[in-house]
Amino acid sequence: MTNPIPFKPRALDTLRIADDDLRAALEGRRRLIFDGGMGTMLQAAGLAAGARPELINLSDPGAITRIHEAYVQAGSEVVTTNTFGANALKLDGAATVEEVFAAAAAAARASGAHYVAGDIGPLGTLLRPLGTLDFEEAYELFAEQVRAAAASGVDIILIETMTDLSEIRAAVLAAKECCDLPIFATMTFEADGRTFLGTPPEIAARTLDALGVEALGINCSLGPAQIRPFAQRMLAVTDKPVIVQANAGLPHAEGDHTVYDITPEAYAAAVSSMLDDGVTIVGGCCGTTPAYIRQIADVLRAKSRPSRGEHPDRPFAATSAQKEAVLDGRSIAVIGERINPTGKKRLQQALREGDFAYLVGQGIQQQEQGADILDVNVGLPDIDEPATLARAVEELQAATVLPLQIDSSDPAAIEAAVRRYTGIAVINSVNGTRESMDAVLPIAARYGANIVALTLDEQGIPETAQQRVRIAERIVTEAARYGIAPHRILVDCLVMTASTNQRQALEILHAVSLCRTRLGVHCALGVSNVSFGLPARGLLNATFLAAALGAGLDAPIVNPASARIMDVIRSYRVLNAEDEGSTAYIERYADAPDPYAAGGTAHVGAPAKAQASSHAADSIEHLILTGRKGDMPAATRAALETLEPMDVIGNHFIPALNEAGELFDAGKLFLPQLMAAAEAARAGFDVIRERVPAAAATGRGVCLATVKGDIHDIGKNIVRMLLENYGFTVYDLGRDVAPETILAAVRERDVRVVGLSALMTTTVPAMAETIELVHREAPGTKVVVGGAVLTPDYAAQIGADYYAKDAAAAARICQEVFGG
């Protein structure tokens, strides 16, 4: 980890800001115009297919300066260095990162622009657990770029076109910890309103805001009219300046060139609407030439000074990369308490043995039982808690979509886990002692985490509600010094058992009410503590929970497997109008007898539907759908005792993968969960291959390649993994593959399907050349294409047989070609 700049709360007065105009833009008092598509301009200037744009900074810096000058003359105040792919992985020894950034910044500065933004794009490879790149390895790659950009004299660090919240987190942390320049960060969204890996605009905005960037927003993928609703969703959850750099619509081929379907005038009109919404920083991405920037500049000149309302009542929000739990004063977030080794011998054993499959299973079960947040505690005296907690967080985030609450008394373990957490974590906990606040609050501030504040101090747990509130107030005041606002704090007034002091229950309820009204915070409670030492604990827990909810509790820490507890939660969500129209309540209870009616039988277990779901949890299909790869080998071996290998594959693996694909298409699973399902199936396939190696060979061969000149292979690698788990034989030819190499592989291996990927508009001609060659020389072979720059129409124009919008679509196409 590289932390050359000591931690201090990030604020504008701590940064190196070029001038008062840029400061005004960062404060939202002034609009700012960026440039447009560097790749588009390079392509128009005759950039050779396969040439690396970043190296032109060294070979022909004058050409880069001329492009920047064209944008400056059109009205761009900020030009972006030609360094989108200037990381050590992509440069691959052709030049150093320092050389490229120095030359690019010099070329940009020579244009006469007011400001130069040091451009940092994606690394081009997936981070763990989907890929092989470790978070800290990604961090170091980004840190090298940030240091080079800062040394070159840029005014802004621009992190752009990110689809992975974990990757942009690594980049932002590198920028925060390795320079003192303003940070702008943008993600790119698909038409469904999520990034490639399933992050919606709200979560992107909340996370980047909490991490402390100076401006955040959206670029690439779509036109401005399509992006506008996503920008509005960001504006609703952040006070930071929002930046939008849209594409000039959808691409299509005209001869050897890629052109776009939105005119400069239409583009500027759509941007004007976003400016009215509150967007203050605009520019363009793919397809936007200086003509587009000129139109935007004309629009800005006609606009009055920006004015945007603030969000005084910001809610508490904990997020994963795909899902958020928001407390807005009336909603409830159930925090599942089961991932805690205290008194749980099976979990203790699993942690000591490094068996994270059991821990993941506990998380998935709680998600299915209704938890909104998972508390994660791995504290045992005889394990490496920092390493174990970080691994537990990684494994859980690969398998569930729920936000996590990082629960530890060891600050080193907390930091190890929360540093690489994808989203906004909750830290459980900090208390009123000076030692605790000094240790935990800087971690929460550095990594954008929320906190649970325990109402105890050096004197222990106080007796009265007023004393508890005073400790909570002390923590809230200290947290503010670190930039942690009250809406990011859950106060836990610490439930004591009623068996030894019944009056404590009333004091706790009073303390919750006071904290909510006086301090403006939300409250959590470990509900089950109230019943220690008493019979019928479930009854007392549920009664206390109902009273606490009435007092203002909004984050109960409970066991969601308790039917009685969840009955209270679902009922209260009706009464507080969180469950609008009582929809969820009716769906749950409409066909079930009322166990609390006169003569009824109180719940002693889950309803029949829930019991059936629990029974299904042991099935292969359920293990695949929930991504539990650790449990799959044993389940597969058990199945093979009574079933033939092809029965297991055809009747269990493939239907489960098909269902996962359908859920993905319906937006009920996201790419990380789809890939977790594929990994679980792979674990089962490995067992079958060990038992019956011949069963793995299907003769259904598919060649995959990223086309010549394109070094991005994330999408291709995901397709490969999914196809392999559908039983296809995949020949992965890699990236930057020449058409002749692909044809040779088709002939040598007699494959019927070729899958081609391209991310860069400049490499689409190479894709068209490859398609033409394969069709001419191997006419029976079908070509499937995919990638961010393609559309169905564009794919048809370049001669492809099929367009696959994602990995699941690629698998379905291959099944169609091979007859199921």
Side-chain angles (χ1 to χ4, degrees), residues 429 506 606 782:
S429 58
L506 295 176
K782 301 298 183 182

Side-chain angles (χ1 to χ4, degrees), residues 254-278:
E254 283 191 4
D256 294 334
H257 294 283
T258 298
V259 297
Y260 290 79
D261 64 358
I262 294 179
T263 66
E265 294 77 13
Y267 187 95
V271 168
S272 178
S273 298
M274 285 191 280
L275 293 170
D276 293 339
D277 294 334

Side-chain angles (χ1 to χ4, degrees), residues 627-666:
R628 292 167 63 181
K629 63 181 179 181
D631 294 322
M632 273 296 291
T636 304
R637 291 187 189 99
L640 288 173
E641 292 178 3
T642 57
L643 298 173
E644 291 298 318
M646 293 311 297
D647 288 339
V648 176
I649 294 171
N651 296 326
H652 297 278
F653 287 9
I654 299 301
L657 286 169
N658 287 340
E659 184 175 352
E662 291 168 3
L663 291 170
F664 176 76
D665 286 342

Side-chain angles (χ1 to χ4, degrees), residues 152-218:
S152 73
V154 303
D155 305 299
I156 296 165
I157 298 295
L158 174 65
I159 301 165
E160 60 143 316
T161 321
M162 294 288 183
T163 61
D164 181 352
L165 198 62
S166 181
E167 184 176 17
I168 199 170
R169 182 181 188 83
V172 170
L173 287 176
K176 285 174 59 176
E177 295 171 358
C178 297
C179 79
D180 57 356
L181 294 169
I183 303 168
F184 291 20
T186 62
M187 301 196 79
T188 184
F189 296 87
E190 307 293 328
D192 64 357
R194 291 183 179 268
T195 70
F196 181 55
L197 294 184
T199 298
E202 294 86 352
I203 288 179
R206 292 189 201 277
T207 301
L208 293 170
D209 188 329
L211 280 172
V213 303
E214 278 62 56
L216 56 91
I218 305 168

Side-chain angles (χ1 to χ4, degrees), residues 310-444:
E310 295 186 357
H311 304 277
D313 299 321
R314 297 279 292 277
F316 174 95
T319 82
S320 66
Q322 297 91 21
K323 189 175 179 63
E324 58 185 5
V326 176
L327 300 176
D328 58 8
R330 70 172 189 176
S331 54
I332 303 167
V334 175
I335 302 176
E337 66 182 6
R338 298 298 297 165
I339 304 176
N340 187 319
T342 303
K344 300 183 182 71
K345 292 183 179 180
R346 179 65 185 90
L347 181 55
Q348 292 174 9
Q349 178 187 355
L351 291 172
R352 291 189 176 105
E353 294 174 352
D355 174 14
F356 290 94
Y358 180 78
L359 179 144
V360 167
Q362 292 289 302
I364 290 169
Q365 287 178 16
Q366 291 182 95
Q367 175 177 293
E368 293 174 339
Q369 290 158 349
D372 301 297
I373 300 172
L374 297 178
D375 187 86
V376 187
N377 185 315
V378 299
L380 288 175
D382 53 348
I383 66 171
D384 180 345
E385 188 177 352
T388 303
L389 187 56
R391 174 75 185 280
V393 166
E394 182 178 284
E395 294 286 339
L396 283 164
Q397 288 213 290
T400 93
V401 297
L402 296 185
L404 303 183
Q405 179 166 285
I406 312 302
D407 187 352
S408 176
S409 58
D410 180 358
I414 291 172
E415 181 162 22
V418 84
R419 178 176 175 80
R420 61 182 60 211
Y421 179 83
T422 307
I424 302 176
V426 185
I427 294 175
N428 186 11
S429 58
V430 60
N431 61 53
T433 66
R434 173 52 54 188
E435 179 184 14
S436 177
M437 290 189 291
D438 288 349
V440 178
L441 291 177
I443 297 172

Side-chain angles (χ1 to χ4, degrees), residues 574-656:
V574 172
L575 301 179
N576 72 350
E578 179 183 355
D579 180 6
E580 292 189 14
S582 306
T583 304
Y585 183 88
I586 292 169
E587 182 180 352
R588 176 75 182 187
Y589 297 109
D591 297 325
D594 183 356
Y596 303 107
T601 303
H603 271 144
V604 293
K609 180 186 290 188
Q611 290 176 355
S613 174
S614 175
H615 178 72
D618 296 328
S619 72
I620 284 175
E621 289 90 336
H622 188 264
L623 293 179
I624 290 174
L625 286 171
T626 55
R628 292 167 63 181
K629 63 181 179 181
D631 294 322
M632 273 296 291
T636 304
R637 291 187 189 99
L640 288 173
E641 292 178 3
T642 57
L643 298 173
E644 291 298 318
M646 293 311 297
D647 288 339
V648 176
I649 294 171
N651 296 326
H652 297 278
F653 287 9
I654 299 301

Side-chain angles (χ1 to χ4, degrees), residues 233-253:
R233 289 161 63 179
M234 284 189 162
L235 288 162
V237 300
T238 180
D239 295 323
K240 297 290 179 69
V242 170
I243 175 173
V244 174
Q245 292 183 275
N247 284 354
L250 297 175
H252 61 275

